[in-house]
Amino acid sequence: MMHHFNVIVERDSAGYYVASVPSLPGCHTQAKSLDELMERIREAIELCLEVQGDMPEPLDFVGIQRISIAV
């Protein structure tokens, strides 16, 4: 059975891509290239599911919004 997960991808100040999966708390990874990042996040998802045991409730993707705050 195929399951689908939303993955958030960002880039840090050192140029690394960082991926996280909102429906799996603690499921994140980083890599220098997007190709490597996608391989790593698939592996991270599989490991998180193995440890968690239960499938998380699916979340519908709505969108991403950037918010600016002066500090």
Side-chain angles (χ1 to χ4, degrees):
M1 176 186 268
M2 187 67 64
H3 297 280
H4 303 280
F5 294 91
N6 297 320
V7 177
I8 307 254
V9 177
E10 300 173 292
R11 189 171 48 212
D12 69 12
S13 60
Y16 281 87
Y17 292 99
V18 179
S20 59
V21 182
S23 62
L24 296 171
C27 186
H28 51 269
T29 191
Q30 68 179 20
K32 255 318 200 187
S33 73
L34 287 172
D35 289 336
E36 184 179 5
L37 185 71
M38 290 302 101
E39 288 178 32
R40 288 183 176 187
I41 198 63
R42 280 187 180 89
E43 184 176 292
I45 290 169
E46 290 171 354
L47 290 171
C48 286
L49 292 175
E50 185 178 313
V51 169
Q52 183 174 315
D54 296 331
M55 283 299 296
E57 180 180 336
L59 300 174
D60 289 333
F61 179 76
V62 175
I64 301 286
Q65 182 67 44
R66 180 176 293 211
I67 303 210
S68 299
I69 300 174
V71 289

